[in-house]
Each structure stands twice: as structure tokens, then as C-alpha cells.
Amino acid sequence: MSELLPNFLAGRWQTGNGPGIPLRDPVLGDELVRVDSGGLDLAAGFAFARERGGAALRALSYRERGALLMAVVKVLQAKRDGYGEISTRNSGTVKGDTAVDVDGAIYTVGVYAKLGAELGDRHALLDGEAERLGHGASFQSQHVLTPTRGVALFINAFNFPAWGLWEKAAPALLSGVPVIVKPATATAWLTQRMVADVVAAGVLPEGALSIVCGSSKGLLDQLQPFDVVSFTGSAQTAVLIRSHAAVTERSVRVNIEADSLNSALLLPGQGEAALDLLAKEVAREMTVKSGQKCTAIRRVFVPESQYAQAAAAISARLQKTTVGDPRNEAVRMGALVNREQKDAVLAGLAELRKEAEVLFDRSAQFLLDADPALSCCVAPTLLGVRTAQASEQAQRIHDVEVFGPVATLLPYRDMPQALALVRRGQGSLVVSLYGSDAPALAAAAAELADSHGRVHVISPDVAAGQTGHGNVMPQSLHGGPGRAGGGEELGGRRGLNFYHRRCAIQASAGVLDALQAHITKP
Ligand code: NAP
């Protein structure tokens, strides 16, 4: 039997009392490790984090907590190679995809460590300037942000076991809020190993970081009014979180990052250069992490006159994507995470094919070192509809998120129709725009800003330096309205808001001066 990974709760390692759920290699099918959360004293674990971890973190300033994050960066960097091995075995990812997760995690913690240094030796944050109340100048209102006195529970998705932990933990810890993470079971091993390394290094105060692997049963029941819960995963599970009594009765603050039908849009009147940039980005988005990215491009909008050219350009790039066992150096795209995801992707593809035809399908070509029957590899597939009218009539294409290497090419008639079609995603994480006319790009960006968390604009002058449609940079907001869950994460300093409580302090100018001195006191 494989190793049963322990959970870290109440400051100690504890194994669950059940048989454990096995985690598997999605290419070879081997059992790797098991996870189990049965029998844990969750109430004691949450109380320990809330009281011990919270008090220790809040006693530090932002600068000191930033220094803790820098120590975490060093631990993770030192252990990086081991993470790559776990990722290859458990997530079936090629080296580049592992880097998106692991290096993305380390980079994000580093950015928040630096923000801590910038915020300096203070224990709370001022929110805006003091404003006069009433007639005289003396009675004023000053908003302040103080760390919430609770725990941050993270319930995470399978696709980013490293980044998914740290993109949330970095702002939480910098804010002075202890973290309890429950990674998705399928890929919990990497998250557990990272927590184990940080715990072993002793760089964080006791209770600051805990992990529960396996079933989520009972976790939400522990939440109290000043706790927060941040969820990343499917829209169905999001409904369960939102309707839990912790949220509906105890007002626990909740952040949801759910599924999203992100778009790429080639503006009208563009030449070959812009079309090539679009094709390159679409092919990359379809294949990085085998399309298992919440930000991946699912719908590609091009003018009707450029449909055939776009189909050929994207297909030519996908043709180069060798699929198979990521341990083979010639492989460019590994596996989906497990059998359930493979079945879900194939079912989703069949659904979309009721409205779209296949423009490119690599599945007839051999998988490298992978058994098609055993492995969870799925080759990239580009779908398409031929007319702008069909783009408009389609329902499923604007509604079904296939969480794999699949995208649909959709022609449009004119810009108003293109914008309306993009909005059929009902709120998305990101849209990317391709063109060379700055005013037209700016106008489209402004039009789509209300329905997206991020608008990524690729013009020729940034072609080489742009950070990628699907890459979540910690300086920018991550999250999207409507269907995408309505959440907000990262965005530099904005990422701290979720972990702070805002209060208006109404007092004399003298008291407010004293308040400022108080919160910046070493
Ligand atoms: P999922 O099935 O909803 O699972 C997400 C997490 O919720 C897992 O940790 C899961 O635990 C847990 N969970 C399941 N049932 C629960 C319950 N009743 N109460 C509390 N927690 C529960 O989603 P997934 O399949 O892992 O992730 C794929 C989806 O996530 C896609 O739709 C994708 O678009 C979305 N996603 C969004 C973002 C974003 O930032 N917007 C990022 C990545 C992924 P178990 O694993 O133990 O079941």
C-alpha cells in the first residue's frame, strides 16, 4: 500500500483514521500516495490556527510578515526540483507546465514579500484620507483596514496545487491571517509537500499554516463570523459553499473563483501579423497544462473573412504539439489529471460537436510512451462554426466549459456583434484582444471591462514582452464577475482587502493623528 500522507493541524502532523483515497499517476495509472482526513479534531485545529497562529501573525508588522514570506520563497526555491518530480508523476505535466504552477507560486510569494517591505512597520492600513464631518474641521472620519481575527480557509482546485495555495496564502499571511488549506484530492501531494517543507523549515509562527487533505467534510462547519473562505473550483461546488450556514447565517466572507468561458478576439481589419499573434496565443492556451487552466481561451472570435486563415494558422501550430508521457523529452503536452477529467472532457467535446465541426484533431496521431486506453492523455482539438449567424445561434459553445485542450473558432460580422458574442460567456476571467490600432483596442477594452476581471491587449509593440493571456500576474486582478464566480484575488495591494476589515473611525483631528502614530508604532 502507498504512503498515507499526514495532515498538519493544531501544530502537529496527524494521519486520518480511514483507509485513504489513492492519488494516481495519470499516464501510468500507478498509485502514488493516499490522503485521508477522517477522525481529525477539526474544531481544535481551527481554534489553534485562529488563536495561536492569528495572534502571532498580528503581533508582527507588514514588513516582518513580508520577511516571513521571503523566508518561504527561499524554502520553496531550495526544494524546487522535488516539486517538479511530484508534479510530473501526479499531474502528468511537462516541465514547462510544472514551472507555470511551481515557479508561478514562488514568484507570487516574492511579490507579496516585497509589498510587505513597502508597507513597512505598521499594523493596520489607512484607507484613503480623513474627511471632514459636519461644519468644523475638527470632527473627521478616517477609514482603516485591520486584519480579520479569524482563519482563512482555502478550498482549492486540482489544476494548480502549488500556485493555488500560494497565490492565496501570500496575501493572507502578509495581512496577518492564518491559513488552513484543503487542496483538491487528485493533486494534494504537491500542496502537502510544500506545506511540509515550510513547516520543517520553521519559518512561520505556530498555527500560521495548516493543511487538511482528503474529504472536505466538516470544514465549513468550523467557520466563525470573522473567518473567511476562499474557494476555487467548479460552479456546482461553489453553490454548496455559498449556501452553507457559515455564509448564510454567520456572514463568513466568501470569495469564489469558478469556471469561465474566456475569449480571444481579433479586431476587424487586421493583417497577418495580428492573426499570427492570436494563433500563437490560442495554441499555447489550448495546450499549456493540457488546457486545464481556468483562464484558458475557450472561444476565439475572428472576422468572417479571416475564418479560414485563422483555422489554418491555429491548426499549424497545434500540429507541432506532441502528446504523451511527460518524462519523454519530445513530449510537449502531458495528460489530463485523472480518468474523471478525461471522461468529462470527452463528454464536453461531444456536447460542443453538436453545434460545431472539427477543424483540427490530433487524436489520430500516436501518443508518445502512453497507452491510449490506460493514460489520461487527450489530444488538442480545434472546433469551429462557419458563419457569424451560426456563432450567434450556438448555445452550448457559449455555455459549456470543456476543461481540457479544446477551443472553438467563431466568426463574427462586425464589432457590435463580436462584443455581444464575447459577453455571452456571462462574465469571464479574461479576454484577450489582438490588433494594432490603439484607439480601437482601448475602446474594445473599455467595452468589455464590466464583464471581465482582466482584459489582455496584444498589440505589435508588446508582442515580445506581454505576459500571456492565461498567466495570472500577482500585480493584476484575478477573478471575474457573473459566471466566473464574482471573486477578486491578487491585484497587488488589493489582494489584502479580503483579509482585512474596514472600519470608519470618527474622531477629532488630534485623535486621528494619534491613531496614525499608533498603527505605525514598531
Ligand atoms: P471541484 O470539483 O468543484 O473541486 C474543488 C474543490 O472543492 C476541491 O478541493 C474539492 O475537494 C472541494 N469540494 C468538493 N465538494 C465539496 C463540498 N461539498 N464542500 C466543500 N468542498 C468541496 O472543482 P475541480 O474539478 O477541482 O476544478 C475544476 C474547476 O475549477 C473548473 O471548472 C475550473 O474552471 C475551475 N477553476 C477555476 C479557477 C479560477 O481561478 N477561477 C482556477 C482553477 C480552476 P475534492 O477534490 O476532495 O473533491
Side-chain angles (χ1 to χ4, degrees):
M1 242 191 194
S2 64
E3 181 193 351
L4 181 61
L5 297 181
N7 306 285
F8 190 69
L9 199 62
R12 61 194 174 87
W13 290 103
Q14 317 178 37
T15 45
N17 62 8
I21 310 166
L23 276 59
R24 295 189 182 278
D25 183 319
V27 177
L28 305 175
D30 301 345
E31 180 174 320
L32 302 168
V33 290
R34 288 169 300 131
V35 292
D36 196 290
S37 61
L40 298 179
D41 185 345
L42 295 177
F46 274 66
F48 185 88
R50 199 179 284 121
E51 286 150 29
R52 188 85 71 94
L57 286 169
R58 286 195 306 275
L60 304 174
S61 68
Y62 293 92
R63 185 186 57 74
E64 290 167 320
R65 294 194 292 261
L68 296 184
L69 292 182
M70 202 43 92
V72 169
V73 166
K74 293 202 174 110
V75 174
L76 299 179
Q77 269 167 345
K79 303 281 183 180
R80 185 179 170 278
D81 291 348
Y83 303 146
E85 196 190 319
I86 292 176
S87 183
T88 303
R89 293 177 71 195
N90 190 194
S91 292
T93 47
V94 294
K95 278 195 186 123
D97 292 354
T98 299
V100 173
D101 188 25
V102 173
D103 294 344
I106 297 172
Y107 174 68
T108 302
V109 182
V111 167
Y112 277 93
K114 286 190 197 127
L115 177 59
E118 282 165 30
L119 293 174
D121 279 316
R122 65 185 71 215
H123 295 264
L125 301 171
L126 296 182
D127 177 26
E129 306 276 310
E131 286 183 52
R132 277 193 326 203
L133 302 174
H135 290 307
S138 63
F139 196 55
Q140 302 184 355
S141 170
Q142 170 69 61
H143 288 84
V144 293
L145 293 164
T146 53
T148 193
R149 288 180 183 237
V151 295
L153 171 65
F154 302 155
I155 300 181
N156 282 356
F158 68 80
N159 55 343
F160 280 101
W163 179 81
L165 163 63
W166 293 109
E167 61 108 7
K168 294 179 193 222
L173 294 170
L174 181 58
S175 300
V177 179
V179 164
I180 299 176
V181 61
K182 188 274 192 252
T185 296
T187 56
W189 190 13
L190 179 53
T191 318
Q192 196 267 3
R193 176 63 64 82
M194 287 180 142
V195 171
D197 288 339
V198 170
V199 168
V203 293
L204 292 178
E206 268 206 320
L209 183 60
S210 310
I211 183 166
V212 175
C213 300
S215 166
S216 56
K217 196 159 177 259
L219 286 176
L220 292 162
D221 300 335
Q222 306 307 322
L223 295 176
Q224 296 182 5
F226 295 101
D227 297 335
V228 300
V229 57
S230 180
F231 169 79
T232 301
S234 64
Q236 297 94 301
T237 313
V239 171
L240 299 177
I241 309 267
R242 276 208 181 90
S243 52
H244 191 276
V247 179
T248 57
E249 290 169 26
R250 299 195 286 281
S251 304
V252 165
R253 187 181 282 172
V254 60
N255 191 76
I256 303 277
E257 301 288 348
D259 54 7
S260 174
L261 282 155
N262 314 292
S263 312
L265 168 59
L266 178 68
L267 263 60
Q270 301 304 313
E272 211 162 304
L275 190 136
D276 269 356
L277 289 173
L278 169 116
K280 184 176 171 194
E281 202 68 17
V282 170
R284 184 161 67 184
E285 285 296 311
M286 287 175 69
T287 54
V288 169
K289 290 186 72 72
S290 305
Q292 298 169 111
K293 260 168 51 246
C294 51
T295 50
I297 296 170
R298 309 290 179 202
R299 299 175 301 148
V300 187
F301 296 97
V302 296
E304 264 182 321
S305 60
Q306 287 172 294
Y307 179 78
Q309 209 187 345
I314 299 167
S315 302
R317 288 187 177 269
L318 293 175
Q319 181 65 37
K320 296 184 200 147
T321 308
T322 43
V323 184
D325 188 334
R327 284 155 280 229
N328 182 327
E329 293 283 329
V331 166
R332 293 284 159 268
M333 192 180 99
L336 296 176
V337 74
N338 57 22
R339 174 66 46 185
E340 292 79 53
Q341 283 303 312
K342 182 176 177 179
D343 292 346
V345 165
L346 295 179
L349 194 50
E351 231 0 70
L352 297 188
R353 285 185 66 175
K354 291 176 185 165
E355 291 180 344
E357 63 179 314
V358 174
L359 300 178
F360 177 85
D361 175 7
R362 214 181 182 285
S363 62
Q365 296 180 36
F366 286 114
L367 297 176
L368 288 181
D369 294 349
D371 178 346
L374 180 73
S375 79
C376 301
C377 295
V378 171
T381 304
L382 180 69
L383 302 172
V385 302
R386 285 196 181 274
T387 63
Q389 193 186 8
S391 298
E392 207 162 271
Q393 283 169 347
Q395 296 295 332
R396 295 173 177 85
I397 293 165
H398 303 291
D399 188 43
V400 177
E401 183 203 43
V402 179
F403 209 59
V406 179
T408 308
L409 188 61
L410 296 146
Y412 68 83
R413 201 166 37 241
D414 52 24
M415 207 47 193
Q417 191 205 24
L419 295 172
L421 289 170
V422 170
R423 284 204 195 88
R424 295 270 300 273
Q426 299 288 313
S428 302
L429 294 172
V430 51
V431 55
S432 52
L433 307 177
Y434 303 79
S436 50
D437 177 352
L441 287 165
E447 270 296 310
L448 293 171
D450 67 310
S451 53
H452 293 80
R454 181 158 60 86
V455 179
H456 185 76
V457 184
I458 304 185
S459 48
D461 50 329
V462 294
Q466 59 102 0
T467 49
H469 164 108
N471 279 349
V472 176
M473 302 303 288
Q475 298 84 351
S476 293
L477 182 73
H478 175 59
R483 177 180 176 146
E488 285 196 359
E489 289 178 345
L490 299 172
R493 186 171 159 167
R494 295 168 193 83
L496 307 188
N497 287 345
F498 184 66
Y499 304 99
H500 284 75
R501 299 282 160 182
R502 184 179 283 110
C503 174
I505 299 188
Q506 300 182 169
S508 70
V511 171
L512 292 183
D513 285 346
L515 173 75
Q516 189 147 356
H518 176 77
I519 64 178
T520 52
K521 186 174 71 191

